Amino acid sequence: MKMFGRMMSCCVALLLTFSSVSAVRKLNSITHLRSVGSDISSQEDCLRLLHWFANTVDINTNDDIRLTFGPNLRDYGSHQYRNDEELLEALPRGYQYYSLGNIHREGSLRLPPHVIQSEQDDGNRARIIIRVREQNVDERISRIIDRVYITQHYEAAEHRKRDYDPKPTYGITTSLLRAIRRFPMDSDNINLLRSLRNRYRSDADDSQLSEIRNTWGHLACLGLLLFIVIQHTSA
C-alpha cells in the first residue's frame, strides 16, 4: 500500500508538472498572434517589443537563436528571471531565464525610442522572457536561446505588479519570429508594404498603406504589423 501511495503521488506530481508546462500556449504564426490579441491588454506594447526582439537577435539556418547583446549587463532592460511564481517550466541544468524590456533598468544598450515611449504610456508592463544556454566556443561564450515567451505584468489594480500574468503569456516559436522579421525596422518601401499586406491577407487598401507609411516613416512595416494584428482583433 505504501508503494502504491508513493506511485500515486509521483503520478500526480507528473500530471501537475505537465499541466503547468502545457498551460503556456505556443504561437507559431501571424495568424496565431492575431487570434490571441484580445488576451493581451498591453497589446501594442507587447507587439512593439516582440517586433524589436525578432529583428535584433540572430537566427541561423538551423533555427538557432543567438543573443547579440549581454543580458548580464542589463542591456535592453534585461535581468535574471528566477521564475518564483512557477510561470514557466523548471530550468534544466546549464540554462538561465532572462527578462527583457524593463525601461527603468539602465544598461549599456537601450531599447529604441518607439518601444520606450509605448512602455511609458502603458506602465512598463510588457516583457519578453528568454531561456538561454551558454556554451564555450573557441574560447568565447556563445549564448543560444531555446525558448522565447511574451508576457506582461499584472495591472496595478491587481496589486501584483511584480508578478507576470499567466493568461497573456505565450511561447513564441522560431517560425513566428521569422514571420515577424519579414516586417523590418527600417523600411517604408510601398511595394514591400503591399507584398506584406497581400501575404497576410490584410484588408488595408492602398490609401491606408500610404497613411501608415506617412505616419510611421521608416517604421512603416511595424505600423502595418500592428494594423494587421490589432485591427483584426478589434474587428
Side-chain angles (χ1 to χ4, degrees):
M1 289 295 293
K2 289 183 178 179
M3 179 64 71
F4 178 76
R6 283 196 291 269
M7 289 176 64
M8 287 296 295
S9 297
C10 290
C11 290
V12 170
L14 283 171
L15 285 171
L16 290 174
T17 300
F18 291 142
S19 64
S20 64
V21 172
S22 62
V24 178
R25 291 179 288 170
K26 289 185 179 181
L27 304 180
N28 294 302
S29 65
I30 299 293
T31 301
H32 284 173
L33 191 61
R34 293 163 71 173
S35 69
V36 302
S38 59
D39 288 347
I40 306 172
S41 56
S42 54
Q43 185 178 5
E44 183 172 326
D45 307 330
C46 288
L47 289 172
R48 287 181 185 231
L49 186 61
L50 186 58
H51 176 262
W52 161 82
F53 178 82
N55 283 282
T56 299
V57 295
D58 287 333
I59 305 176
N60 66 19
T61 55
N62 296 321
D63 282 344
D64 292 330
I65 308 170
R66 297 182 183 274
L67 282 175
T68 56
F69 54 91
N72 289 322
L73 302 176
R74 296 189 174 184
D75 290 345
Y76 302 119
S78 58
H79 63 89
Q80 185 176 335
Y81 170 59
R82 298 188 303 178
N83 197 30
D84 289 338
E85 65 265 58
E86 298 182 349
L87 177 72
L88 307 174
E89 62 186 288
L91 282 169
R93 185 175 181 180
Y95 288 76
Q96 180 58 61
Y97 284 126
Y98 291 96
S99 172
L100 312 175
N102 187 344
I103 63 174
H104 299 315
R105 282 184 178 265
E106 294 293 335
S108 58
L109 296 174
R110 290 177 58 81
L111 290 162
H114 71 275
V115 175
I116 291 175
Q117 183 60 52
S118 180
E119 287 277 38
Q120 285 174 334
D121 292 343
D122 201 58
N124 188 32
R125 295 171 56 210
R127 294 292 186 274
I128 287 174
I129 297 175
I130 54 176
R131 194 174 83 170
V132 177
R133 174 167 54 92
E134 292 189 350
Q135 291 181 314
N136 287 314
V137 179
D138 297 329
E139 298 183 354
R140 294 178 302 173
I141 298 295
S142 173
R143 295 183 176 92
I144 297 178
I145 303 168
D146 76 333
R147 298 282 192 280
V148 178
Y149 303 91
I150 191 74
T151 188
Q152 65 186 33
H153 285 290
Y154 282 98
E155 295 186 63
E158 299 284 344
H159 305 294
R160 298 180 60 182
K161 62 181 181 179
R162 291 190 176 184
D163 292 337
Y164 293 116
D165 186 347
K167 182 181 178 183
T169 299
Y170 295 95
I172 305 298
T173 65
T174 308
S175 296
L176 178 52
L177 290 176
R178 287 191 181 279
I180 294 173
R181 285 164 72 92
R182 296 191 182 103
F183 296 78
M185 292 179 64
D186 57 356
S187 177
D188 63 352
N189 184 290
I190 192 66
N191 291 326
L192 175 58
L193 294 176
R194 290 191 181 115
S195 175
L196 291 169
R197 172 195 63 187
N198 297 338
R199 183 183 189 112
Y200 295 104
R201 300 179 180 180
S202 170
D203 59 1
D205 57 30
D206 282 351
S207 64
Q208 287 172 309
L209 287 185
S210 295
E211 183 179 352
I212 289 171
R213 186 186 185 196
N214 293 335
T215 301
W216 288 84
H218 70 283
L219 291 170
C221 290
L222 169 59
L224 178 58
L225 176 63
L226 295 175
F227 181 92
I228 289 171
V229 175
I230 294 176
Q231 185 226 31
H232 178 272
T233 300
S234 58

